[in-house]
Amino acid sequence: MRIGIASGKGGTGKTTIATNLALTLAREGQKVRYLDCDVEEPNGHLFLKPEIIRSRKVSVPVPQVDREKCNGCGECGRICQFSAIICLNRKVLTFPELCHGCGGCLLVCPKEALSEVPREVGVVEEGRGGGIEFVQGRLRIGEAMAPPLIREVKRPLPGEGWAIIDAPPGTSCPVVESLKGVDSVLLVTEPTPFGFYDLTLAVEVVEELRIPFAVFLNRCDVAKEEEEMEVKRFCRAKGIRILGEIPEDRRIAQCYSRGEMVVEAVPEYGEKFRSLFQAIRGAFWA
């Protein structure tokens, strides 16, 4: 079963929930994989501390022009929706950083003047730690497109057991790519005005993708009671299930700053994550 852990914004505790849920599943004797799809800034490894066993480079195909064959007709530029290849004054220019690797320009070229060459965009690292199979992607600095690398991170899917997909924050293309093919999504939010607003955007995304989803409320606090109730009223009005919540606890922040797992450093939270696991299983696979 593939569970996407997502949030409408950064800083809601998404990775904290994803990594501790993965470790809880492993402790329950479940086969579990953790896939860090936040390829621009992966940080799950800081907590799970896996031993990286293998690493492979990931490339995307980009067009290369044979000047002797090209007649400057401009068909390649007309089909490209991303301006990755254009024709100016009958001379073809390519912009590899914008290319999505669709191959459309090669198909329409009447002179077969285009060929594909690989361009490295990042690496995928695989390993194991704490009984968890671990996969993460690292996007090259300066790269604009994360989806091709995210697809490679998710290549091991499907498979046996549980897969925790730690999606990037926000609601942009990398998030959509991360959530494609998952069985359910847990949206992690916090009771703040920004957290609530971005939750509404995240809800729109998963509804558009038609993926079953629920909400987990992090950093609940008496001082934020009104904001907390606003989130709960929204979920109640939309018929969205809230599968659990965690209070604002300084000990969790200290664990995070030291790169420690909450269920190990503060054992009482082990039961909360076991309850979350049971709630997810009951909500989506009863």
Side-chain angles (χ1 to χ4, degrees):
M1 303 300 178
R2 297 156 293 189
I3 307 170
I5 310 294
S7 62
K9 63 181 287 291
T12 62
K14 172 177 56 61
T15 295
T16 298
I17 303 304
T19 53
N20 282 275
L21 179 60
L23 183 57
T24 299
L25 288 170
R27 287 181 167 183
E28 293 288 309
Q30 303 287 333
K31 183 175 181 179
V32 58
R33 286 168 291 166
Y34 171 86
L35 286 73
D36 196 340
C37 290
D38 187 4
V39 298
E40 294 181 69
E41 196 171 1
N43 63 347
H45 66 283
L46 299 176
F47 306 96
L48 294 174
K49 298 177 175 59
E51 177 187 357
I52 301 300
I53 300 171
R54 52 188 169 270
S55 176
R56 55 187 172 89
K57 296 179 180 179
V58 176
S59 302
V60 295
V62 297
Q64 178 176 262
V65 184
D66 185 334
R67 305 294 179 186
E68 294 183 359
K69 292 182 178 180
C70 179
N71 64 358
C73 67
E75 288 297 322
C76 55
R78 279 188 281 274
I79 197 174
C80 184
Q81 300 297 301
F82 307 102
S83 299
I85 184 168
I86 61 174
C87 187
L88 295 176
N89 196 26
R90 303 187 68 82
K91 181 178 180 181
V92 174
L93 304 176
T94 61
F95 302 91
E97 294 81 6
L98 300 178
C99 181
H100 284 56
C102 70
C105 55
L106 276 73
L107 293 174
V108 300
C109 180
K111 297 295 184 179
E112 298 184 351
L114 296 174
S115 59
E116 289 181 331
V117 294
R119 185 176 69 85
E120 184 182 337
V121 295
V123 297
V124 171
E125 298 173 330
E126 302 177 38
R128 191 170 182 85
I132 300 167
E133 293 182 25
F134 178 90
V135 186
Q136 72 174 6
R138 291 182 182 272
L139 194 68
R140 285 184 63 185
I141 295 174
E143 285 296 330
M145 292 188 301
L149 183 56
I150 292 172
R151 285 192 288 271
E152 289 299 312
V153 172
K154 293 173 63 182
R155 180 181 285 189
L157 299 177
E160 295 181 0
W162 298 79
I164 306 297
I165 294 91
D166 193 349
T171 54
S172 59
C173 294
V175 177
V176 173
E177 189 63 48
S178 299
L179 298 183
K180 283 181 180 178
V182 303
D183 298 301
S184 64
V185 176
L186 185 67
L187 296 175
V188 181
T189 189
E190 58 185 7
T192 64
F194 283 126
F196 171 60
Y197 175 76
D198 290 325
L199 172 65
T200 64
L201 300 180
V203 166
E204 290 181 11
V205 170
V206 292
E207 286 181 336
E208 184 69 24
L209 294 173
R210 297 184 180 182
I211 304 172
F213 70 97
V215 165
F216 187 88
L217 195 56
N218 191 25
R219 289 205 287 268
C220 302
D221 190 276
V222 176
K224 301 173 183 173
E225 184 175 354
E226 180 55 37
E227 288 89 347
E228 182 180 331
M229 290 308 299
E230 189 174 16
V231 172
K232 291 182 176 179
R233 283 194 295 267
F234 169 77
C235 291
R236 188 162 51 246
K238 296 273 291 183
I240 301 169
R241 290 164 292 191
I242 298 178
L243 299 188
E245 56 185 60
I246 286 180
E248 186 166 18
D249 190 331
R250 183 181 180 89
R251 293 174 298 173
I252 295 179
Q254 291 171 334
C255 288
Y256 188 89
S257 67
R258 293 192 295 260
E260 297 175 348
M261 299 294 290
V262 175
V263 294
E264 292 181 334
V266 191
E268 65 198 68
Y269 279 97
E271 183 56 40
K272 284 188 176 291
F273 280 94
R274 280 191 293 272
S275 297
L276 175 60
F277 169 45
Q278 296 300 331
I280 291 173
R281 187 158 60 177
F284 302 115
W285 293 286

